Amino acid sequence: MGTTPTEVMAFPNIRAIVRDNGTSEVVVAGNSRVVPAGDSVQELRNNALALIVGEAQTLQRPVRVQIEDPEGHGELIVHPDNKIESVSYDPRQTRRRAEAPETTPKTVAPAIIETVPAQEPGAAPSESAPVPVPANPEPQTAVVAEGAAPTRRSLKETSFLVSVPVLEPATQGWRGTLTRLGLRMDPSQEELSEREDIRTVSQHWPGPRTIAVVNRKGGANKTPTVVMLSAILARYSGAATVAWDNNESQGTLGWRTEKGAHDRSVLDLIDASRTLLSPSTNAAEIAKFVHHQTADKFDVLRSDENEEGDHEVTAEEVDIAHQVLTRYYRLVVMDSGNTARAANWRRMIDHTNQLVVPVTAIEDRAEAARLTLQTLESRGGHDAELARNAVVIVSESTDAKRSMSGDALKRAKDEAQRIADGFAPFVRAVVRIPYDPALVNGPIRYEALQPATQRAWLAAAAAVAAGF
């Protein structure tokens, strides 16, 4: 085929191949069948396996499968009912745990108690430690060098407990399949990376943390970014999380999330702040002002949606709302408007611990993001530190993506990469997000995303959490 396979699975007259260039096929008796496209090697592998199971169902008999891939080789039997009867597998040594020092904890050696033995009576003194002899030595008395006296470490300085790394067996790919069959396999590098991201977003930090999602250009994916970060942090960490629409006018966060059984907004919360901050008020009272997301486990504080209202949230009111929210929530994720000069926008930055700048693969969105970071950096102090420590999230264009030709899709991906590369030298992290129709319109739900998109947002949330 002209391309070195990255995943190979074969059995008599049937061969399934997944290549590192993103193509996949199943060959039956010399006839090639195209495997449905996937966004990852794991999806291509699953699609190939589905075709093999279909072949076993057509033959109405078990099929013997020989696996050969960079991670190892072996055999298993696929039944028409999608079960695997037996297995043998020999992992390659080059893919063993030793290749993942960054993700596999190192074994800590036991503490060693060092002692210096006393010199035996009558023994000759050491050349390196001359022994002073007294004028009238006592007979049969051992003379010990002054610097060689026996020393012992305190029992407080040692422990018999040893930190041994616990590596859970593989759950994904062929390795996961073999583990479920009873042959414990180490996870692949891809799975280890995902586990590390999950560990990062699952932490509980002392004190509340505030994330500000900013870009001075509309349509830059600010609201989807707020929803996704809130959903992932709430799901994995279990920490009380609220998404706050700090827009100077009607924001869209309330439109793209679930609505509760009331119409209250940030203005109602500010009016009730004295009660909410009272020591006698219980935590459940906050539910009167926020809108709970039943599937994604975070709350939403909406902006004022009164079309006839002309009230703009002041800097002092941002202080009040933030004080209330950080009493009831560990994590506050703030959506923002497009005016960096607005009082509520600037006060939001004062409360921010981690800055997130979303952009789409469109030049004017990227330029607006650059100017936003430049403005903050020029202010110096806390603002400049936020800009240097920012996380930029680059999403592929959402404009009529399904109608794009193959060349147009490639140009969109190339543009996203160009923008990501452009930001990389100036911020702490840049994460790319693939196109997903579930993010274009309507309510946003984590479970509605494609697996590759979920994985990308997990990486983005881990990059954000790493800055806390």
Side-chain angles (χ1 to χ4, degrees):
M1 298 295 178
T3 304
T4 301
T6 58
E7 306 279 347
V8 179
M9 185 175 62
F11 49 85
N13 299 322
I14 301 179
R15 181 184 180 94
I17 304 173
V18 177
R19 299 184 177 84
D20 55 8
N21 64 355
T23 63
S24 183
E25 64 178 327
V26 171
V27 180
V28 180
N31 297 318
S32 177
R33 299 180 183 179
V34 177
V35 174
D39 291 330
S40 67
V41 170
Q42 180 61 42
E43 287 188 49
L44 292 172
R45 179 194 292 135
N46 292 343
N47 294 339
L49 183 58
L51 289 181
I52 295 169
V53 172
E55 192 66 27
Q57 292 172 343
T58 300
L59 296 174
Q60 282 301 301
R61 63 176 175 82
V63 179
R64 193 172 192 84
V65 181
Q66 294 182 347
I67 301 174
E68 181 70 35
D69 62 29
E71 297 180 355
H73 59 85
E75 294 185 358
L76 52 85
I77 298 176
V78 177
H79 285 257
D81 59 358
N82 200 16
K83 293 182 180 178
I84 301 176
E85 177 184 336
S86 63
V87 91
S88 65
Y89 197 78
D90 181 22
R92 299 184 192 275
Q93 293 300 319
T94 55
R95 299 291 293 183
R96 300 295 288 181
R97 192 180 310 176
E99 279 199 5
E102 294 82 7
T103 52
T104 305
K106 297 181 179 179
T107 302
V108 178
I112 300 174
I113 302 176
E114 298 180 350
T115 60
V116 179
Q119 198 168 4
E120 294 184 4
S126 170
E127 293 183 1
S128 58
V131 180
V133 180
N136 299 308
E138 295 283 340
Q140 304 297 322
T141 300
V143 181
V144 182
E146 202 173 306
T151 60
R152 298 181 185 276
R153 294 175 58 184
S154 169
L155 287 173
K156 293 182 179 180
E157 299 175 1
T158 188
S159 172
F160 293 104
L161 299 178
V162 180
S163 177
V164 179
V166 178
L167 185 65
E168 297 294 332
T171 61
Q172 301 176 4
W174 301 120
R175 291 168 174 259
T177 300
L178 299 175
T179 296
R180 288 188 289 274
L181 291 169
L183 183 61
R184 181 186 176 103
M185 302 298 302
D186 288 348
S188 65
Q189 289 294 102
E190 181 180 354
E191 185 172 355
L192 284 172
S193 175
E194 182 173 342
R195 290 182 184 183
E196 180 61 20
D197 285 347
I198 291 173
R199 188 199 67 79
T200 301
V201 300
S202 299
Q203 300 299 309
H204 278 195
W205 299 269
R209 294 292 188 274
T210 299
I211 302 166
V213 179
V214 302
N215 189 319
R216 286 159 48 177
K217 183 72 175 177
N221 250 24
K222 290 193 294 291
T223 297
T225 298
V226 169
V227 174
M228 283 295 96
L229 293 180
S230 300
I232 292 170
L233 290 169
R235 278 169 165 262
Y236 285 105
S237 73
T241 304
V242 62
W244 171 10
D245 195 340
N246 186 41
N247 208 299
E248 59 268 13
S249 58
Q250 287 183 325
T252 59
L253 182 60
W255 301 349
R256 305 208 63 185
T257 53
E258 293 180 63
K259 183 179 181 299
H262 59 81
D263 295 316
R264 294 186 181 92
S265 69
V266 63
L267 297 185
D268 299 292
L269 179 137
I270 292 170
D271 289 341
S273 60
R274 186 182 295 261
T275 300
L276 291 171
L277 291 173
S278 169
S280 62
T281 303
N282 63 60
E285 291 299 309
I286 196 66
K288 295 179 180 178
F289 304 93
V290 296
H291 303 260
H292 185 61
Q293 307 304 294
T294 54
D296 289 330
K297 310 305 181 187
F298 67 96
D299 293 342
V300 172
L301 179 62
R302 295 186 167 198
S303 61
D304 179 28
E305 297 180 0
N306 183 3
E307 294 182 359
E308 299 178 358
D310 57 359
H311 180 86
E312 291 188 2
V313 177
T314 65
E316 292 74 17
E317 288 172 330
V318 170
D319 291 339
I320 294 171
H322 189 264
Q323 184 180 6
V324 172
L325 292 179
T326 52
R327 174 179 175 179
Y328 292 88
Y329 297 93
R330 283 176 175 266
L331 298 172
V332 180
V333 186
M334 298 182 69
D335 203 348
S336 63
N338 304 326
T339 307
R341 298 178 181 177
N344 65 321
W345 198 100
R346 298 193 66 159
R347 188 53 58 89
M348 170 188 67
I349 296 298
D350 293 339
H351 291 291
T352 297
N353 300 109
Q354 176 63 58
L355 192 73
V356 177
V357 183
V359 299
T360 55
I362 301 175
E363 289 182 353
D364 61 348
R365 269 66 160 188
E367 182 64 11
R370 185 191 68 80
L371 292 173
T372 302
L373 290 169
Q374 178 181 312
T375 297
L376 291 171
E377 191 168 18
S378 67
R379 293 175 181 172
H382 174 68
D383 292 14
E385 183 61 26
L386 287 176
R388 289 190 291 268
N389 196 47
V391 174
V392 173
I393 300 178
V394 183
S395 299
E396 293 180 14
S397 173
T398 58
D399 298 339
K401 186 68 178 284
R402 289 182 177 177
S403 63
M404 286 186 180
S405 65
D407 290 342
L409 289 173
K410 184 178 184 304
R411 286 196 298 272
K413 289 181 178 294
D414 291 344
E415 182 66 7
Q417 187 61 56
R418 183 180 74 86
I419 291 172
D421 292 341
F423 278 107
F426 306 103
V427 296
R428 181 170 58 81
V430 180
V431 182
R432 283 188 55 185
I433 306 293
Y435 168 79
D436 197 310
L439 293 173
V440 177
N441 293 305
I444 302 171
R445 302 286 187 276
Y446 175 80
E447 291 295 346
L449 301 180
Q450 298 169 359
T453 314
Q454 291 180 349
R455 179 66 185 94
W457 277 112
L458 174 61
V464 172
F468 287 160

